[in-house]
Amino acid sequence: MVLGAGYAGLHAVKQLVALQPDAEIVLVNRDVYHYDTARLHEVAVGRTDPSEISFNLRETIDPSVGLIVDDVMRIDHDIRAVELRNNGLVFYDYLINALGGATSTPEVPGASENAFPLITLDDALRARSHIERILTDYRVSQNPYDLRIAVCGDGFSAVAFMAALVHQLPILTKQFGVPADKFEVHCFASNPNPLYRFDPKLTEWIMEFLQGSNVIFHGSSRVTAVGPGEVHVGNQVFHANTIVWAAGIRGSEVVPISGYAQKFNRVIVRDDLSVIEADGSWPREFVIGDVSAFPNPETGRVYPATAQLAIAQAECAASNVAQLLKGGRTYRFDYKPYGTILPLGPHSGVALLQDSKGNYTRLKGAKVRLLISRMNKDFRDAID
């Protein structure tokens, strides 16, 4: 049984079908469609139609794979069963948990109620509908806060959203008849600069790119609360009638409910991606994708949750299940990232590429556009 049809889960199913194990394969997902999470910001700003980044699972997965569309409530490891909202208990022999992530907001009062996350396709559509409604309202209200968007977060998703937004602004302001010169985009970063762990040279160029597009950064500004139309930073209150929350993700809430040893709802796994349990009571389970925490063997730091990591983990987990079904031994997960690509709107971006010897190449500007197109195609091919 595979839980979740994101990058990790869907690719795991594809690999299992290719390996042809003597077993029934069942995929469980809350929706009947898969969507490209790396492009949700395009939908949120109105540049991309949802149909361009999503497709129906029944039309994609092999006919031999069973599909259950339902919500996972919890996993009972002792009896090897998954409890579903509508279908009750469904039993498994081997489990690949790829349930994905959720918005990381519980420590900030009011964030989940008053800000728009960008984790699911529904999130992106809600943000898009709100932005269009608030721009329509401005023509009557003339409220300057209707033209102000606050972005809470300093990571890749925050930067990608802001870059897509400023590129789309000329179209939005013309479409809704609002003054472009009064539109404001503010970014609240808990660190002095966004992407503080990314390559410093490329980060400097990203800052210049966004500030040149009139994005206003508030560095070292940790958001302490979010109210209706309000971002609180310590004792200061900043007003904006659109607030986007892009301050990271945590694993699915099913993880703590199901009794995993975890941190931020991510499960530290063994080197073969199986669950770490001292008594060895869950030997038939692998955890991959956003709910998995896999440490870099050289640094000890957990790898960030990315699509390329999820797809690589899926290949390993599927192979290990096939090995166990044959009575064989599992493989060690050996991860070699090939770099990072970050789009800055449809015509620009940055890339930090790594070769087999560990050497890095930096790219920026329009030349990255072709890499982004290739990356989107590769990810689509990996799960299609």
Side-chain angles (χ1 to χ4, degrees):
M1 182 180 294
V2 178
L3 303 181
Y7 294 120
L10 202 52
H11 191 60
V13 168
K14 178 180 178 180
Q15 289 297 108
L16 284 169
V17 171
L19 292 167
Q20 297 183 326
D22 183 17
E24 178 187 4
I25 303 170
V26 176
L27 172 64
V28 179
N29 195 55
R30 65 184 174 189
D31 299 306
V32 75
Y33 54 84
H34 165 88
Y35 52 87
D36 186 347
T37 55
R39 299 179 63 191
L40 288 175
H41 58 277
E42 298 177 18
V43 174
V45 302
R47 186 171 76 83
T48 299
D49 189 83
S51 63
E52 296 181 43
I53 70 164
S54 62
F55 50 86
N56 191 293
L57 290 173
R58 297 189 191 278
E59 299 173 356
T60 303
I61 60 175
D62 191 272
S64 66
V65 177
L67 174 63
I68 301 176
V69 179
D70 205 343
D71 290 314
V72 176
M73 306 306 293
R74 71 182 184 93
I75 302 166
D76 190 325
H77 310 278
D78 294 330
I79 63 173
R80 293 206 294 270
V82 176
E83 181 182 343
L84 304 179
R85 183 184 301 276
N86 300 313
N87 287 275
L89 291 177
V90 180
F91 294 87
Y92 62 85
D93 294 302
Y94 294 90
L95 183 70
I96 296 179
N97 183 343
L99 280 173
T103 309
S104 183
T105 61
E107 70 281 5
V108 180
S112 58
E113 297 87 357
N114 301 299
F116 292 93
L118 293 177
I119 301 296
T120 69
L121 185 57
D122 286 342
D123 290 339
L125 289 172
R126 281 193 290 267
R128 177 177 182 164
S129 177
H130 172 82
I131 292 172
E132 292 175 350
R133 179 183 61 80
I134 213 77
L135 294 180
T136 301
D137 290 348
Y138 175 81
R139 289 181 294 185
V140 176
S141 71
Q142 295 295 298
N143 184 343
Y145 301 147
D146 286 345
L147 299 186
R148 182 182 285 178
I149 293 182
V151 179
C152 303
D154 53 15
F156 283 86
S157 59
V159 170
F161 171 78
M162 289 186 292
L165 178 63
V166 295
H167 179 270
Q168 192 70 8
L169 276 182
I171 298 173
L172 289 172
T173 53
K174 182 178 180 180
Q175 179 182 353
F176 293 96
V178 298
D181 61 335
K182 293 185 179 181
F183 209 100
E184 298 178 3
V185 180
H186 293 255
C187 177
F188 293 88
S190 58
N191 297 287
N193 293 306
L195 305 178
Y196 71 102
R197 288 182 178 176
F198 191 46
D199 180 78
K201 292 183 179 180
L202 290 178
T203 299
E204 182 179 353
W205 188 85
I206 291 169
M207 287 286 290
E208 293 175 356
F209 176 89
L210 291 175
Q211 288 175 332
S213 301
N214 296 321
V215 174
I216 302 167
F217 283 95
H218 304 265
S220 301
S221 297
R222 183 178 296 277
V223 176
T224 54
V226 179
E230 296 179 347
V231 175
H232 295 249
V233 179
N235 295 324
Q236 296 182 326
V237 179
F238 183 87
H239 296 278
N241 284 343
T242 300
I243 303 171
V244 173
W245 191 269
I249 63 172
R250 57 198 294 124
S252 166
E253 293 300 326
V254 174
V255 167
I257 292 172
S258 300
Y260 289 94
Q262 49 81 30
K263 185 175 182 180
F264 300 118
N265 298 359
R266 299 182 69 188
V267 182
I268 301 290
V269 293
R270 291 189 177 103
D271 61 5
D272 65 352
L273 304 178
S274 62
V275 174
I276 294 176
E277 283 296 311
D279 60 3
S281 60
W282 304 347
R284 298 185 174 194
E285 181 175 347
F286 298 86
V287 181
I288 61 176
D290 290 349
V291 288
S292 168
F294 186 79
N296 183 325
E298 296 180 0
T299 66
R301 292 176 58 182
V302 172
Y303 282 111
T306 63
Q308 62 172 304
L309 175 65
I311 289 173
Q313 286 183 320
E315 293 183 358
C316 180
S319 296
N320 284 342
V321 169
Q323 282 290 103
L324 292 175
L325 284 167
K326 295 186 297 184
R329 300 179 61 182
T330 59
Y331 301 109
R332 180 179 179 273
F333 179 56
D334 186 18
Y335 180 54
K336 301 294 183 184
Y338 55 76
T340 302
I341 302 174
L342 174 62
L344 298 174
H347 306 305
S348 185
V350 298
L352 184 65
L353 307 180
Q354 184 176 1
D355 63 21
S356 58
K357 297 181 180 179
N359 300 314
Y360 286 96
T361 299
R362 298 178 182 86
L363 299 173
K364 64 183 181 181
K367 65 182 72 174
V368 182
R369 181 177 58 181
L370 293 177
L371 287 177
I372 295 171
S373 297
R374 176 61 184 270
M375 176 185 69
N376 291 337
K377 183 181 183 302
D378 287 347
F379 287 152
R380 181 66 179 247
D381 290 345
I383 57 180
D384 201 352

